[in-house]
Amino acid sequence: MRKRQVLVMRLLSSIVQQRIIVNMMDVPMIVSVLKIRESSFRSNLWKAIEWLLFKTGNEISRDFSLEDLLISVKECDTAARGNEAKQSRITPAASNNFDRKHSAASRTHRCHGTDSLLPEEMVEHLRKGIGAKGQVVHVEDIGARRPVYVEVPHELSENMRSALHSIGITQLYSHQAESIQASLFGKNVVVATMTSSGKSLCYNLPVLEVLSQSSSSCALYIFPTKALAQDQLRSLLAMTKGFDGSLNIGVYDGDTTQEERTWLRHNSRLLITNPDMLHVSILPHHRRFARILENIRFIVIDEAHIYKGAFGCHTAFILRRLRRLCSHVYGSDPSFVFSTATSANPHDHCMELASLPTLELIQNDGSPAARKLFILWNPFVDQETVAKNPNNIMENGKSSDESANFKSSSPILDVSCLFAEMVQHGLRCIAFCKTRKLCELVLCYTREILQQTAPHLVDSICAYRAGYIAQNRRRIESDFFDGKLCGIAATNALELGIDVGHIDVTLHLGFPGSISSLWQQAGRAGRRDRPSLAVYVAFEGPLDQYFMKYPKKLFGSPIECCHVDAKNQQVLAQQLVCAAHEHPLSLSYDEKFFGSGLDSAIVSLKNRGYLSCDSLCNSSAKFWNYIGREKMPSHSVSIRSIEAERYKVIDQQKKEILEEIEESRAFFQVYEGSVYMNQGKTYLVTSLDLSRKIASCYVADLKYYTKSRDCTDIHVMGSKYAYRPQLSNIQFSRTTARADPCKVTTTWLGYHRVSRGSNEIMEKVDHVLPKYSYESQAVWVPVPQSVKEAIIMKDLDFRAGLHAASHVVLNVVPLRIICNLSDLAPECINTEYTRYYPERILLYDQHPGGSGVSVQVQPIFMELLIAALELLTSCRCSEHGGCPNCLQSFACKEYNEGLHKESAIMIIKGVLDAEKL
Ligand SMILES: Nc1ncnc2c1ncn2[C@@H]1O[C@H](COP(=O)(O)OP(=O)(O)OP(=O)(O)O)[C@@H](O)[C@H]1O
């Protein structure tokens, strides 16, 4: 009783003290929560206090906020009804899932130890500790690989040998010697060996050898990111310390000052750049680079596997523009060296990328690799799995069956607990997360855990993702390298080979989209000769659960192909305009670079007023000159589908820029009233200035998060208009999937404030923002009218069926195509609107300009429908809204509302039947 009194006193004083905060926040919000609970509030007050005490381990000295109490009232009310697993209205988006389980999970065992552990020891530690419920469903032991060393080839001069010595290398791996010899022989080479297998030396040694033999020879290095370019500059400068000063190695990118640019153009012999810079600066102004282009001996393309999708397609044409200028204007014929991650087709991919006649593939990896243990971790482990697994006997002798009714079921929480474990036990770790938001959440929750288990380590971890300003990213990279940080929650921005020093463990929150990407990420740990650990934590989605069930499919499957579509007519047209601006086009000379589509593309560009020619010559000898209106056509061709318009997110207290965010994301993430996360801290956004493109926010400890209310319309261009408000009467006699250009338009309605504790909507706020539109590509198939009628006859929800069908097709795409799932989105039907939606199953490329995935999906659409039907009919869930194993989707813009499984089954069957007609 004494405890109760103390607590109530503290609670009341806390409420009084928090009045200002309450005022600053949102009084209506608090009142609305109170109203919802009015009837049961008093009777539940004591229960809530006890609940709060229980949650915080009887820590009566802690201050509780009013919101803590309100949330506890709801929690204990829910728990008392024995309904802890109650679904909130908006399950199961990842963050919600976490929040729903967070309070329960915080009561589970946490390790407070900080003794050093080796990666192998960590496996047992996890099995006995936070993984004692059987979450470790598989451990793949990937044995060590012994190095195959060879002598440094005699073709390399004494100068190169001493350069190697200066960086501590006396012997080469066999693949390095093989590729160096091929390059010195003048061949085009692609090196496709494991991560950290010393691929950089494969190009650095032959390039430096040739450049030091001839004082005019030059080389161009192309890296996909600025960070990699800087990393390479550091390695090259270290290697060439003893060289004479004539190389003048430098980075020429968007961060290079005008003076440096001029100096590099005049003096550099080894220029490091990126495809964007080639596209908008170097090629359009090629005369300024005449010295380099006349003497160019090597073009090096690092991380070639990155060049796929729309970016890959543009880069392929940029390389063709570069090669043609070298050939037609400067009389040079450089050799290519590609370095790429292992894939099923590195040779074909790189040949296509640069349109090369020959290319030598080097893939017999001679580098050593230490042992790696690869854990598959399933937070959704069921009794059956646990019972079957003999490893799941806990230390105290109890079979884990006894606790199998526990489902931790929060991958985000599990990754956060694992992250904290690694850091606590001295293992340097990267936690890879699929999205920026997940990355922030993992950081935030890991810090919360460390606050309880090892507070001195809270600041030793941070997040790393796109959006942070370059200066902050460089600081994080060097702090990690120097050991000031021991863990990073990262998106795939850290998947590429930036050297951040030794890493012991990689955590993978969900399947990253391709097996090759998973290996690429896991390869970041255990570089050099130390054993390492990887832990793949599954989401509840079908693909993750499939790999958890059948680990052989993950570890035994060949790595996927990497495709670049250098025949895309839209991209060809855009790039030909740029090429013609640089140097007149000719059918006779340029077909070998641009392919057989050149002729018709030239005619079309002539008709559109971009090209003209001297009409006296015959068609193949004609030269086509650029006559378009834009002074610099490359400036209007976006090669990464990256939007030029960005919003600055500013911390109004510290007056510093936290992030620069793309316009399309800004309206989802930093609207007025939204809760925004950065480096694990939560901020409240106070304004979004559309004219200055600035979002202002301040740090706020909020117990709710926000979800934007919006709806996205897809208008397939060239087809019937998508959103006419009346029913369509078009009958489709036959269904055939099509890939078409489309216009994607998002309309904002407002947002919800959602409680972090209970996941219930606290308040619905309306607001208006300008609509956001962009052009993209969609793949779609019409649904026959007869199917619609049959569904309506059965009194099922047709719209919800369409919505569910597009989800489930999206869910099976990764079974057939290597892609980043965030590239593609399903057409989601908004439940707030009751207007007409076209009868179709549709997926679209999420990035402005399109990423090329829809086009890849089109020929296999029917196979995907068959797989989707299998998935739906084999899933035993009985809810209309399905489950994350079948039709729910992370990508759902409507938070998985308005879905209907039975209706989706009828729709997919109907489309497949119609296709057979
Ligand atoms: N012959 C060698 N003997 C010993 N160490 C080597 C040798 N070659 C390279 N290394 C070292 O191996 C490490 C990895 O090299 P590097 O970064 O070039 O690999 P990579 O294959 O390009 O990596 P990533 O796949 O991440 O791009 C470096 O520290 C490098 O110094």
Side-chain angles (χ1 to χ4, degrees), residues 128-145:
K128 290 171 185 164
I130 60 168
K133 317 292 179 198
Q135 296 96 319
V136 178
V137 292
H138 180 82
V139 181
E140 185 80 7
D141 190 341
I142 302 160
R145 196 180 57 229

Side-chain angles (χ1 to χ4, degrees), residues 118-166:
L118 294 171
E120 301 92 304
E121 294 168 335
M122 179 52 84
V123 179
E124 273 322 291
H125 178 77
L126 293 176
R127 274 196 174 125
K128 290 171 185 164
I130 60 168
K133 317 292 179 198
Q135 296 96 319
V136 178
V137 292
H138 180 82
V139 181
E140 185 80 7
D141 190 341
I142 302 160
R145 196 180 57 229
R146 297 175 69 81
V148 183
Y149 282 116
V150 295
E151 290 306 316
V152 176
H154 66 270
E155 289 90 345
L156 288 178
S157 62
E158 211 36 62
N159 205 10
M160 277 319 115
R161 288 164 197 267
S162 30
L164 273 176
H165 272 274
S166 72

Side-chain angles (χ1 to χ4, degrees), residues 338-439:
F338 298 90
S339 130
T340 179
T342 44
S343 78
N345 62 339
H347 179 262
D348 294 353
H349 174 239
C350 293
M351 287 267 279
E352 181 70 1
L353 191 59
S355 182
L356 295 173
T358 58
L359 180 66
E360 185 138 326
L361 172 64
I362 310 287
Q363 61 180 353
N364 284 333
D365 197 334
S367 67
R371 181 184 183 207
K372 186 185 284 291
L373 295 173
F374 208 126
I375 296 179
L376 298 191
W377 179 285
N378 193 358
F380 305 92
V381 66
D382 55 27
Q383 286 196 11
E384 218 182 314
T385 321
V386 175
K388 275 187 204 154
N389 190 344
N391 292 321
N392 293 330
I393 303 295
M394 289 189 272
E395 206 176 22
N396 59 12
K398 277 189 198 167
S399 149
S400 48
D401 288 22
E402 287 171 42
S403 52
N405 57 355
F406 167 82
K407 283 188 168 200
S408 67
S409 59
S410 168
I412 307 172
L413 176 61
D414 281 17
V415 151
S416 308
C417 292
L418 286 162
F419 194 13
E421 281 275 7
M422 303 306 160
V423 172
Q424 279 174 238
H425 294 285
L427 294 172
R428 283 167 56 82
C429 175
I430 302 179
F432 285 104
C433 307
K434 287 204 254 199
T435 64
R436 300 179 193 189
K437 186 164 183 185
L438 284 177
C439 188

Side-chain angles (χ1 to χ4, degrees), residues 169 171 173 176 195-201 303 497 527-528:
I169 292 174
Q171 289 176 298
Y173 305 134
Q176 291 176 321
T195 318
S196 196
S197 55
K199 292 190 283 291
S200 318
L201 281 185
E303 310 277 0
R527 297 167 78 105
R528 299 172 194 133

Side-chain angles (χ1 to χ4, degrees), residues 810-839:
L810 179 74
N811 282 344
V812 294
V813 166
L815 294 175
R816 290 297 314 273
I817 290 185
I818 263 206
C819 68
N820 191 342
L821 257 198
S822 64
D823 287 347
L824 211 55
E827 179 165 39
C828 293
I829 293 182
N830 188 292
T831 46
E832 279 190 44
Y833 281 161
T834 51
R835 64 177 179 201
Y836 165 72
Y837 276 86
E839 298 87 358

Side-chain angles (χ1 to χ4, degrees), residues 33-262:
V33 177
L34 276 168
K35 271 187 190 156
I36 295 165
R37 292 280 143 202
E38 210 166 32
S39 59
S40 59
F41 187 79
R42 245 174 288 168
S43 66
N44 283 345
L45 181 62
W46 285 118
K47 276 192 220 156
I49 291 169
E50 278 160 7
W51 184 251
L52 255 178
L53 271 175
F54 176 60
K55 264 177 58 166
T56 53
N58 283 339
E59 224 185 288
I60 57 170
S61 58
R62 226 195 88 176
D63 277 341
F64 299 112
S65 69
L66 178 59
E67 279 190 272
D68 279 333
L69 182 69
L70 292 172
I71 288 163
S72 300
V73 169
K74 286 184 187 179
E75 281 181 356
C76 77
D77 190 29
T78 310
R81 292 199 304 271
N83 188 19
E84 209 173 338
K86 179 185 163 204
Q87 291 289 310
S88 74
R89 207 173 77 81
I90 44 173
T91 56
S95 55
N96 306 359
N97 238 346
F98 173 85
D99 290 316
R100 182 158 43 89
K101 305 292 173 186
H102 189 211
S103 56
S106 66
R107 300 195 297 275
T108 63
H109 166 73
R110 289 251 168 84
C111 167
H112 288 249
T114 51
D115 50 320
S116 294
L117 290 177
L118 294 171
E120 301 92 304
E121 294 168 335
M122 179 52 84
V123 179
E124 273 322 291
H125 178 77
L126 293 176
R127 274 196 174 125
K128 290 171 185 164
I130 60 168
K133 317 292 179 198
Q135 296 96 319
V136 178
V137 292
H138 180 82
V139 181
E140 185 80 7
D141 190 341
I142 302 160
R145 196 180 57 229
R146 297 175 69 81
V148 183
Y149 282 116
V150 295
E151 290 306 316
V152 176
H154 66 270
E155 289 90 345
L156 288 178
S157 62
E158 211 36 62
N159 205 10
M160 277 319 115
R161 288 164 197 267
S162 30
L164 273 176
H165 272 274
S166 72
I167 55 166
I169 292 174
T170 50
Q171 289 176 298
L172 291 181
Y173 305 134
S174 55
H175 66 271
Q176 291 176 321
E178 207 186 327
S179 76
I180 290 163
Q181 279 166 326
S183 285
L184 288 175
F185 215 70
K187 293 181 180 174
N188 297 314
V189 175
V190 50
V191 186
T193 48
M194 295 302 283
T195 318
S196 196
S197 55
K199 292 190 283 291
S200 318
L201 281 185
C202 296
Y203 50 78
N204 281 339
L205 285 172
V207 167
L208 293 176
E209 180 66 63
V210 168
L211 265 55
S212 52
Q213 278 171 16
S214 144
S215 58
S216 57
S217 298
C218 295
L220 193 65
Y221 279 30
I222 300 168
F223 287 86
T225 66
K226 290 179 189 171
L228 279 170
Q230 291 297 338
D231 213 36
Q232 189 56 222
L233 177 67
R234 274 193 293 275
S235 322
L236 278 167
L237 292 178
M239 250 185 106
T240 55
K241 262 186 194 148
F243 285 41
D244 70 42
S246 76
L247 283 177
N248 298 324
I249 305 169
V251 173
Y252 197 95
D253 64 20
D255 295 342
T256 315
T257 62
Q258 286 308 325
E259 297 83 71
E260 281 172 312
R261 287 185 192 196
T262 311

